[in-house]
mmCIF file of all heavy atoms in Angstrom:
data_model
loop_
_atom_site.group_PDB
_atom_site.id
_atom_site.type_symbol
_atom_site.label_atom_id
_atom_site.label_comp_id
_atom_site.label_asym_id
_atom_site.label_seq_id
_atom_site.Cartn_x
_atom_site.Cartn_y
_atom_site.Cartn_z
ATOM 1 N N THR A 1458 30.471 90.871 -37.372
ATOM 2 C CA THR A 1458 30.608 92.220 -36.845
ATOM 3 C C THR A 1458 29.385 93.111 -37.114
ATOM 4 O O THR A 1458 29.301 94.196 -36.519
ATOM 5 C CB THR A 1458 31.861 92.889 -37.441
ATOM 6 O OG1 THR A 1458 31.738 92.967 -38.863
ATOM 7 C CG2 THR A 1458 33.111 92.116 -37.067
ATOM 8 N N SER A 1459 28.468 92.697 -37.968
ATOM 9 C CA SER A 1459 27.258 93.491 -38.166
ATOM 10 C C SER A 1459 26.482 93.521 -36.860
ATOM 11 O O SER A 1459 26.511 92.576 -36.046
ATOM 12 C CB SER A 1459 26.363 92.888 -39.274
ATOM 13 O OG SER A 1459 27.001 92.980 -40.509
ATOM 14 N N SER A 1460 25.764 94.605 -36.626
ATOM 15 C CA SER A 1460 25.027 94.740 -35.386
ATOM 16 C C SER A 1460 23.895 93.714 -35.308
ATOM 17 O O SER A 1460 23.446 93.168 -36.336
ATOM 18 C CB SER A 1460 24.430 96.137 -35.276
ATOM 19 O OG SER A 1460 23.373 96.309 -36.235
ATOM 20 N N GLU A 1461 23.464 93.438 -34.112
ATOM 21 C CA GLU A 1461 22.330 92.491 -33.928
ATOM 22 C C GLU A 1461 21.091 92.992 -34.592
ATOM 23 O O GLU A 1461 20.288 92.218 -35.126
ATOM 24 C CB GLU A 1461 22.124 92.231 -32.440
ATOM 25 C CG GLU A 1461 23.285 91.499 -31.762
ATOM 26 C CD GLU A 1461 23.008 91.204 -30.310
ATOM 27 O OE1 GLU A 1461 21.859 91.415 -29.866
ATOM 28 O OE2 GLU A 1461 23.944 90.758 -29.593
ATOM 29 N N ASP A 1462 20.883 94.324 -34.597
ATOM 30 C CA ASP A 1462 19.697 94.893 -35.261
ATOM 31 C C ASP A 1462 19.733 94.643 -36.769
ATOM 32 O O ASP A 1462 18.677 94.552 -37.406
ATOM 33 C CB ASP A 1462 19.625 96.414 -35.023
ATOM 34 C CG ASP A 1462 19.319 96.742 -33.570
ATOM 35 O OD1 ASP A 1462 18.792 95.844 -32.865
ATOM 36 O OD2 ASP A 1462 19.588 97.876 -33.141
ATOM 37 N N GLU A 1463 20.968 94.482 -37.338
ATOM 38 C CA GLU A 1463 21.097 94.235 -38.769
ATOM 39 C C GLU A 1463 21.108 92.755 -39.088
ATOM 40 O O GLU A 1463 21.295 92.363 -40.262
ATOM 41 C CB GLU A 1463 22.385 94.887 -39.277
ATOM 42 C CG GLU A 1463 22.415 96.383 -39.179
ATOM 43 C CD GLU A 1463 23.781 96.977 -39.514
ATOM 44 O OE1 GLU A 1463 24.828 96.423 -39.056
ATOM 45 O OE2 GLU A 1463 23.819 97.975 -40.262
ATOM 46 N N GLY A 1464 20.918 91.922 -38.089
ATOM 47 C CA GLY A 1464 20.889 90.484 -38.318
ATOM 48 C C GLY A 1464 22.222 89.783 -38.086
ATOM 49 O O GLY A 1464 22.322 88.559 -38.234
ATOM 50 N N GLY A 1465 23.240 90.516 -37.668
ATOM 51 C CA GLY A 1465 24.554 89.907 -37.371
ATOM 52 C C GLY A 1465 24.664 89.491 -35.932
ATOM 53 O O GLY A 1465 23.682 89.446 -35.197
ATOM 54 N N LEU A 1466 25.914 89.191 -35.512
ATOM 55 C CA LEU A 1466 26.150 88.788 -34.140
ATOM 56 C C LEU A 1466 26.661 89.895 -33.267
ATOM 57 O O LEU A 1466 26.732 89.749 -32.054
ATOM 58 C CB LEU A 1466 27.139 87.585 -34.116
ATOM 59 C CG LEU A 1466 26.608 86.302 -34.730
ATOM 60 C CD1 LEU A 1466 27.621 85.179 -34.564
ATOM 61 C CD2 LEU A 1466 25.264 85.875 -34.110
ATOM 62 N N GLY A 1467 27.082 91.006 -33.874
ATOM 63 C CA GLY A 1467 27.441 92.169 -33.081
ATOM 64 C C GLY A 1467 28.757 92.011 -32.318
ATOM 65 O O GLY A 1467 28.929 92.659 -31.273
ATOM 66 N N PHE A 1468 29.704 91.205 -32.777
ATOM 67 C CA PHE A 1468 31.012 91.137 -32.149
ATOM 68 C C PHE A 1468 31.761 92.433 -32.329
ATOM 69 O O PHE A 1468 31.711 93.078 -33.379
ATOM 70 C CB PHE A 1468 31.852 90.006 -32.714
ATOM 71 C CG PHE A 1468 31.510 88.636 -32.193
ATOM 72 C CD1 PHE A 1468 30.768 87.714 -32.922
ATOM 73 C CD2 PHE A 1468 31.929 88.240 -30.921
ATOM 74 C CE1 PHE A 1468 30.437 86.466 -32.439
ATOM 75 C CE2 PHE A 1468 31.646 86.992 -30.419
ATOM 76 C CZ PHE A 1468 30.889 86.089 -31.160
ATOM 77 N N ASP A 1469 32.507 92.827 -31.276
ATOM 78 C CA ASP A 1469 33.377 93.986 -31.352
ATOM 79 C C ASP A 1469 34.610 93.610 -32.152
ATOM 80 O O ASP A 1469 35.277 92.612 -31.849
ATOM 81 C CB ASP A 1469 33.779 94.433 -29.936
ATOM 82 C CG ASP A 1469 34.396 95.820 -29.931
ATOM 83 O OD1 ASP A 1469 35.130 96.145 -30.905
ATOM 84 O OD2 ASP A 1469 34.208 96.562 -28.958
ATOM 85 N N GLU A 1470 34.931 94.408 -33.188
ATOM 86 C CA GLU A 1470 36.041 94.069 -34.065
ATOM 87 C C GLU A 1470 37.338 93.918 -33.341
ATOM 88 O O GLU A 1470 38.195 93.110 -33.694
ATOM 89 C CB GLU A 1470 36.186 95.158 -35.163
ATOM 90 C CG GLU A 1470 35.004 95.210 -36.110
ATOM 91 C CD GLU A 1470 35.168 96.261 -37.194
ATOM 92 O OE1 GLU A 1470 36.316 96.790 -37.322
ATOM 93 O OE2 GLU A 1470 34.214 96.520 -37.927
ATOM 94 N N LYS A 1471 37.519 94.667 -32.250
ATOM 95 C CA LYS A 1471 38.801 94.627 -31.510
ATOM 96 C C LYS A 1471 39.031 93.290 -30.789
ATOM 97 O O LYS A 1471 40.134 92.965 -30.410
ATOM 98 C CB LYS A 1471 38.864 95.768 -30.508
ATOM 99 C CG LYS A 1471 37.895 95.651 -29.325
ATOM 100 C CD LYS A 1471 38.074 96.758 -28.344
ATOM 101 C CE LYS A 1471 37.070 96.690 -27.198
ATOM 102 N NZ LYS A 1471 37.134 95.407 -26.445
ATOM 103 N N ASP A 1472 37.941 92.492 -30.657
ATOM 104 C CA ASP A 1472 38.061 91.215 -29.969
ATOM 105 C C ASP A 1472 38.386 90.049 -30.892
ATOM 106 O O ASP A 1472 38.554 88.909 -30.454
ATOM 107 C CB ASP A 1472 36.788 90.865 -29.217
ATOM 108 C CG ASP A 1472 36.492 91.815 -28.075
ATOM 109 O OD1 ASP A 1472 37.462 92.336 -27.476
ATOM 110 O OD2 ASP A 1472 35.302 92.067 -27.789
ATOM 111 N N LEU A 1473 38.470 90.297 -32.211
ATOM 112 C CA LEU A 1473 38.651 89.232 -33.167
ATOM 113 C C LEU A 1473 40.051 89.236 -33.734
ATOM 114 O O LEU A 1473 40.619 90.242 -34.096
ATOM 115 C CB LEU A 1473 37.634 89.382 -34.322
ATOM 116 C CG LEU A 1473 36.157 89.340 -33.903
ATOM 117 C CD1 LEU A 1473 35.263 89.591 -35.096
ATOM 118 C CD2 LEU A 1473 35.804 88.016 -33.224
ATOM 119 N N TRP A 1474 40.632 88.040 -33.773
ATOM 120 C CA TRP A 1474 41.963 87.786 -34.342
ATOM 121 C C TRP A 1474 41.795 86.735 -35.435
ATOM 122 O O TRP A 1474 40.816 85.965 -35.412
ATOM 123 C CB TRP A 1474 42.928 87.251 -33.277
ATOM 124 C CG TRP A 1474 43.322 88.215 -32.212
ATOM 125 C CD1 TRP A 1474 42.510 88.880 -31.367
ATOM 126 C CD2 TRP A 1474 44.660 88.625 -31.890
ATOM 127 N NE1 TRP A 1474 43.237 89.689 -30.510
ATOM 128 C CE2 TRP A 1474 44.566 89.527 -30.832
ATOM 129 C CE3 TRP A 1474 45.912 88.312 -32.407
ATOM 130 C CZ2 TRP A 1474 45.703 90.117 -30.249
ATOM 131 C CZ3 TRP A 1474 47.043 88.882 -31.829
ATOM 132 C CH2 TRP A 1474 46.934 89.796 -30.761
#
Side-chain angles (χ1 to χ4, degrees):
T1458 61
S1459 294
S1460 71
E1461 293 183 9
D1462 291 340
E1463 296 172 316
L1466 293 184
F1468 279 103
D1469 193 324
E1470 295 182 10
K1471 68 177 177 59
D1472 294 329
L1473 300 177
W1474 291 58

